[in-house]
Each structure stands twice: as structure tokens, then as C-alpha cells.
Amino acid sequence: MTSTLISRTVYKLCYLYTPCRTYGKNVLRRKPIRVLNVPEDGVRLLRDDTFDESKQLAKISPEMQQNHLTTEVTKEKKIIVPPYEKLQKNDARFTKTLAMIKNRKRREKSGLILLEGKRLINDAIGVGIEMKTLYFSREEDLAAIKIKDPENVELHKVFYKTLSLWSELETSPGVMGIFKRPSADDLNVLSDPAIPVTVICDNIRDPGNLGSVIRNAAAAGCENILMLKGCVDPWETKVLRAGCGGHFRIPFVYDIEWNHIYNYIPKDSKIFIADNSVDIDIGSSTSEFISFDETDENSEDMRYVTFNEHNQPLFVDESYSEPTELEKFEDINLPCHLYTSIKYPRKNIILYVGGETHGVDPRIVKLACDYGGRKVKIPLENEMDSLNSSFAMTIVLYEIKRQMKEEYVLKQ
């Protein structure tokens, strides 16, 4: 009995003195620590009066010294911007203006367009387009805009989040400009047309595609662009973005009715239709142009003259609206040639570019028969049946430009 009590007592003593970590309910919770105020005399400055910065800079490399000096200059440099007004988060002036610009009918009625990004805005200002309002989120963005007359422009600072909600881009550039829509007389064409080409756009409904057409036609040096009704609005934000300033470098007319197309094409023009859906006419190797005389002699009876909103005479041909008249041209097969095997004329070239899904309209076939024209084809590989409209147009344009340049060099 006694040995049993002794063993139990020893066990309890061992248990009490054995190091064992136990966790209570609030053991790991940190308790506030009281910090005593240290007298100022006891504080040692990391950078006292004896610190010599020049000696410290001498110990580092010249590249790091230059970066250090540049950082110091940047910190001291102040941004100078004209006076502006800071809009509140729910200011109706910003939301109403953007809602109006996004609606095509209201946008056309107001005569305003929206440009996003510093580069596009500066391009418009550089060619003399009148700016009405500028919205920005940072003063750095405002300073980067080359405003010629800030007193006549409304400058508003807007929250970046608000700008992003109304932006058409995945990442908003943080600056938006409201401009007056320019007319053909307002455009500042920097050089004369390099090639005598007028581009006709039909049923191009993709904004990026039409923007590329405008950009590439301006880069190639075309005379102008005619956009038939059915194309996307060229002043839409996405089209302007894809155009990269081409809207301000080449004249164009949009929303043209087929009945009025004769008003924009010279009488001695030649029509070329970019079409990859037909085979090349191998039997016809001549480079002379083909004239079509199958048109009805009484077709002039269907034409008359009216006046547009500017009181200018407008030639109208109702035959382009007659289904029975257009049926005659559905089965007409215009000669098709490789785009490099044609000797293009020296003036009044009309290049037709249609939508990728709709194909060639019978009305352009009728126009080609009236003026004399043909189809051109770009050879494709790997069983691809079509090209992007802007790419196909650009390939043909630069072939025309190559021929014009070669003839000029030979004459010299």
C-alpha cells in the first residue's frame, strides 16, 4: 500500500515539473504594448548635418548617379496646366454628353464626334479640327494635349473610373475629347493624291474593318472614299480608333444612295471590282479595257435631277432601285484578271470593295457595265477563299501605285 502511494506521488511530481506547452483560449492574442516617450536628446538622426551626399554618390556607379539626379529633378518639376473644372462623380453634364455621342442620330444632329487617346486628339488638333470639350483624369494627360486655344475649350477633370465606364476600349486612356465633326473643306490634306483612285465601300459593317480601309487609303494616297448606305458610321468611336487619324487625311462621303452614285464618279472612269469568288479569265490576255454597250437606250428616261440639302443639283438614277432592271445583271459575268496583269489607267480609277459576307452587289455590276470595268482577283493559297476587305484593297492600291511609279521613273 505504501509503495503504491509513493509511486503515485512521484508520478504527480513528474507531471507537474515536465515542460509541456498548453494553449488557452486567448493565449495567441496580442496584448497592447505601452510605448514610453523618448526624449528628443536621446534620438539619433540617420542623416545629420555632417552627412555629405556627394561623398556617398561617389561610391556608386555613374549610371546610378544619373538615375538619382533625374529622380530629384522629376520630383521638383511642376506640371503647368490651364485652369479646369473638377466634376463630381454623378455630374449630369458628362453623362448626358457621352450618351448623346453614343447615339448615332443624336450625334449626327449635334455635329459632334468623340476621340479617345492623346495621340488621336493631338492629330485632330494638328489638322485644325475644332475641339469643344476635353475630359481627363490626371493633370499629366491634360499637359500632354496640345490645346491651341484653351480659353474656348471646356476642360473637365473626371474620375478615371467614370471615364472607364463610358470608354469603348478595354483599358481607357484616361482622356476624351469632344470635337466638331469636320467637313471635306476642313480637312488638311498634307500632300496631293499619289494615285488617281476613288474607293467605293459597300456593306462594310465592321468598325475595325472600315477604320482600316480609311487608314490604308489615306496612306496609299487615294483621292477620296465613297461609302454607300449600309456601311457602319465612319464617325463611330471604334472606327475613329482603327483609322488612326486617317479620317483627317483623306476626303470621304458617307451614306450615299445607289441612285446618287453617278454624282460622285467622273464619266470617263473605269471600275475595278475586287472579287475572289470567281476564276481568272485565262483566255483573255489583253490589257485593253472592255466597254459594255448592252445597256438600254431608254435608260436615260429613268434619270432626273433633284437638289440636296445644300441646294446643289443631284443626279438620280431610279434604275438602281428597280428589281427587274437589276435582274439583268445578276447573270452577267464580268471578265476577271489577276490584279498584277492589268495595266491600270492614268486617271479616274474606281476600286470597289464590298463586305466579306455579302459578296458583289448586282448594282456594282450594272455600274461596271455602264462605265466599262472588270473584276480583279488576288491569288490565295491553302484553300483560303477570301481576304479581309481592307487587306484586299491595300494590295490592289499598292500595285496601282507601283505601276504609276515605274512609268514615272521610265519617263525620267
Side-chain angles (χ1 to χ4, degrees):
M1 185 69 179
T2 305
S3 60
T4 304
L5 291 175
I6 293 173
S7 60
R8 288 182 178 179
T9 304
V10 173
Y11 176 78
K12 289 180 180 181
L13 292 173
C14 293
Y15 178 78
L16 290 175
Y17 290 99
T18 301
C20 179
R21 180 176 295 180
T22 59
Y23 295 96
K25 185 177 181 181
N26 297 322
V27 170
L28 298 180
R29 182 175 296 177
R30 291 187 177 182
K31 296 181 180 181
I33 301 175
R34 186 177 179 181
V35 180
L36 299 176
N37 293 328
V38 181
E40 294 183 359
D41 297 339
V43 177
R44 186 175 65 87
L45 297 177
L46 296 178
R47 197 171 190 177
D48 52 14
D49 297 335
T50 61
F51 179 79
D52 190 355
E53 186 177 3
S54 60
K55 292 182 180 180
Q56 297 295 327
L57 288 176
K59 298 178 182 180
I60 62 178
S61 61
E63 293 80 5
M64 295 182 66
Q65 294 183 25
Q66 183 65 29
N67 293 337
H68 175 77
L69 296 175
T70 305
T71 305
E72 293 295 331
V73 172
T74 306
K75 288 181 180 179
E76 297 177 359
K77 186 178 180 181
K78 294 181 179 180
I79 300 175
I80 302 176
V81 295
Y84 60 86
E85 180 183 0
K86 187 175 181 180
L87 301 183
Q88 298 300 320
K89 187 175 182 180
N90 297 322
D91 198 302
R93 287 176 291 177
F94 175 75
T95 55
K96 286 183 179 179
T97 303
L98 269 293
M100 179 267 297
I101 292 292
K102 298 293 182 179
N103 185 280
R104 180 170 183 174
K105 290 183 179 179
R106 296 173 63 188
R107 179 173 65 245
E108 291 180 353
K109 187 177 180 180
S110 65
L112 301 176
I113 59 174
L114 172 67
L115 302 180
E116 284 192 73
K118 291 177 284 189
R119 179 179 178 182
L120 193 58
I121 292 174
N122 284 328
D123 282 347
I125 295 175
V127 297
I129 308 301
E130 181 182 354
M131 183 166 63
K132 298 290 187 181
T133 312
L134 183 69
Y135 300 104
F136 63 95
S137 60
R138 301 183 306 168
E139 290 188 350
E140 291 84 352
D141 297 330
L142 175 59
I145 304 300
K146 303 174 183 178
I147 305 175
K148 295 182 178 179
D149 192 5
E151 296 181 355
N152 296 327
V153 180
E154 296 182 7
L155 304 176
H156 298 299
K157 187 175 182 180
V158 185
F159 290 101
Y160 179 78
K161 193 172 183 180
T162 306
L163 284 175
S164 299
L165 290 174
W166 289 92
S167 176
E168 296 285 350
L169 307 175
E170 293 184 2
T171 303
S172 173
V175 57
M176 295 181 178
I178 307 296
F179 287 79
K180 178 184 176 182
R181 186 177 61 215
S183 62
D185 298 332
D186 298 332
L187 298 180
N188 182 19
V189 181
L190 300 180
S191 60
D192 295 332
I195 50 178
V197 178
T198 295
V199 179
I200 295 181
C201 299
D202 184 22
N203 270 322
I204 300 180
R205 300 179 181 179
D206 181 75
N209 205 355
L210 184 61
S212 297
V213 167
I214 296 173
R215 177 184 182 181
N216 296 340
C222 296
E223 289 184 347
N224 54 13
I225 304 174
L226 306 178
M227 303 175 194
L228 295 166
K229 199 166 186 177
C231 292
V232 66
D233 182 13
W235 296 115
E236 187 180 314
T237 308
K238 292 182 180 179
V239 183
L240 286 163
R241 189 74 180 176
C244 296
H247 290 71
F248 316 126
R249 306 298 185 198
I250 183 172
F252 62 87
V253 185
Y254 62 100
D255 272 350
I256 302 175
E257 298 280 355
W258 270 105
N259 298 343
H260 304 157
I261 193 65
Y262 280 99
N263 298 275
Y264 305 95
I265 300 177
K267 293 182 180 180
D268 56 347
S269 300
K270 297 298 178 183
I271 311 293
F272 295 93
I273 304 171
D275 185 15
N276 269 48
S277 62
V278 294
D279 296 329
I280 296 176
D281 188 1
I282 301 177
S284 178
S285 58
T286 177
S287 61
E288 299 297 330
F289 293 99
I290 300 176
S291 299
F292 293 87
D293 300 326
E294 292 90 350
T295 55
D296 191 355
E297 295 179 357
N298 298 324
S299 60
E300 294 291 338
D301 298 335
M302 306 181 69
R303 303 173 185 176
Y304 60 90
V305 175
T306 185
F307 295 90
N308 59 10
E309 63 273 13
H310 303 292
N311 202 26
Q312 297 173 342
L314 197 64
F315 186 79
V316 180
D317 189 348
E318 291 293 348
S319 63
Y320 283 90
S321 302
E322 294 291 333
T324 54
E325 180 73 14
L326 296 177
E327 286 179 1
K328 302 177 183 179
F329 299 93
E330 291 181 355
D331 298 329
I332 292 180
N333 294 322
L334 294 175
C336 182
H337 300 276
L338 187 67
Y339 78 102
T340 55
S341 64
I342 297 176
K343 184 179 180 181
Y344 295 93
R346 300 287 299 173
K347 62 178 182 177
N348 298 336
I349 302 174
I350 308 297
L351 179 60
Y352 171 88
V353 181
E356 300 173 32
T357 57
H358 295 82
V360 177
D361 194 295
R363 288 172 289 193
I364 188 60
V365 179
K366 179 183 183 307
L367 188 68
C369 292
D370 292 343
Y371 281 88
R374 60 183 60 188
K375 294 181 178 180
V376 293
K377 185 173 182 177
I378 301 171
L380 304 178
E381 305 296 336
N382 296 320
E383 298 183 357
M384 301 300 293
D385 55 356
S386 66
L387 280 176
N388 181 282
S389 301
S390 63
F391 291 164
M393 177 206 70
T394 306
I395 291 172
V396 178
L397 288 180
Y398 277 91
E399 171 60 23
I400 297 173
K401 192 170 185 178
R402 183 191 65 81
Q403 292 187 13
M404 301 289 177
K405 186 176 181 180
E406 283 186 357
E407 292 182 10
Y408 175 79
V409 171
L410 290 175
K411 287 182 179 180
Q412 293 295 324

